[in-house]
Amino acid sequence: MDAGELFAAICERIPDAMSRHKVPGVALGITCEGRDFARGFGVTSINHPLPVDESTLFQIGSTTKTFTATALMRLVEAGKLDLDAPLRTYMPAFRMKDPDVTARVTTRHLLNHSGGWEGDWFEDTGDGDDALAKYVGLMSKLPQLSPLGSVLSYNNSAFSLAGRLIEVLTGKTYETALKELVLSPLGLKRSLLLPTQVMLHGFAVGHATVADKTIVLRPWQLTRASRAAGGIAASILDQLRYARFHLGGGTAEDGARVLSPQTIAAMQSPGEIGELDYKMGLGWRIQSIGGIARVFHGGGTWGQISGFVMAPERKFGLALMTNSNTGGLVARDATKELLPKFLGYEDPEPVELPMAAAQMAEYAGRYDQLLGDVELKVEDGKLMFHVSPKGGFPNRDIRPGPPPPPFRAGLVAPDRIAMVEPAMKDIQGEFLRSPDGKIAFLRWGGRIHVRQ
């Protein structure tokens, strides 16, 4: 199977997956060894439907974090930033709740999600040019959940802080600096941050399905203070151009050197901090399966889910963007088995292990997190997940949606569980223990949930 055959095979699966998971629109792109393939499916909105094509803008969500990381690495190469210097070197007034964290946190801690404070805090500080400065000024109230640098817990607020650092180092707004440091040098003309720019193009809106009815979600955009963490809207063709840059050792399409090959390699090199089977690089997640390195990210905004994966050894990149909060299920169903087969590795499904009653009792309990709590209960000899959304995304005032039905978790390795029933099947989490051996956290969805 070559890249064209892989693309065709995924395209064949997408319409059925869209129907099954009630996803109105999808854009798919593949780049491999200098060949590009792209196609749109469905519509941008169920209320005002326009066909999705290769130029339609979707919110890429947290893949934006890799753009923020790329901008920071340009500042490192310019001699303006040391990844391991305390942030207060550049931002003397910066404060966190924990004085030790205030003194020691570095840019590297931001890029590898090891800051340890509560990260899913979406405070709306307005649309002015001071939005990030105001946001960072309020971060001192965020609770510290784990020691600095010790545990990976996905941290959106850390990337808002990274965006503010870019502003301080450049003397420009994050939006202007990102355009000058990354978007313009790479020729990404359809990768936009401002809603007033996005509205001049064809763009997707977010959807959700509630009680079997698909609805449009509002508001459309994240808060301005969250743009460095997830604010880009891009076309699938621009996503492929971005992939080619990171696969090509830091050279733009016009031949200009934007980052050195050494810096690109550093961004894609696994560090010590990780989760499940992957490690964090600088902004990127890295997983090695069968000797093949996968460098990836992805994102979720208010009803838009995207995925982005590269295999540098194969000069291969794939991006898939959707306009529904169930879009991740489309990506999974459309690429399952095909992508591992193309890249030349096996992606075995987790095998459920017997779980004794004593193990279930140890894991059972309530685990709290800012956007939603999880309660594990032993019911009829099964370990059942009960999720209680709290709301607060994409801004703090958003009310929680309906909770999903309970689902069963099975043990697949020591202190590691996987969901064993559709539609959450194979999604994994893990229990983290304190030095005394007691369970301190459930890490699920990349976030640590504190045991109560």
Side-chain angles (χ1 to χ4, degrees), residues 24 78 104 225 320 359 373:
R104 295 197 299 115
L320 192 149
Q359 287 177 294
D373 299 339

Side-chain angles (χ1 to χ4, degrees), residues 119-198:
D120 283 331
W121 181 62
F122 295 94
E123 183 75 12
D124 187 352
T125 53
D127 292 325
D129 288 351
D130 59 352
L132 271 175
K134 287 181 176 179
Y135 179 96
V136 170
L138 296 171
M139 285 181 65
S140 59
K141 69 180 184 180
L142 295 179
Q144 190 73 23
L145 305 180
S146 61
L148 179 68
S150 65
V151 173
L152 186 155
S153 185
Y154 197 78
N155 198 312
N156 281 291
S157 63
F159 275 80
S160 291
L161 177 54
R164 176 57 184 160
L165 176 61
I166 290 171
E167 291 186 334
V168 170
L169 294 176
T170 63
K172 301 174 181 178
T173 65
Y174 169 78
E175 294 85 356
T176 297
L178 189 72
K179 183 176 181 179
E180 293 180 359
L181 291 169
V182 180
L183 302 181
S184 291
L186 301 190
L188 302 177
K189 296 180 181 180
R190 295 183 72 85
S191 297
L192 306 170
L193 284 156
L194 303 180
T196 52
Q197 295 173 342
V198 174

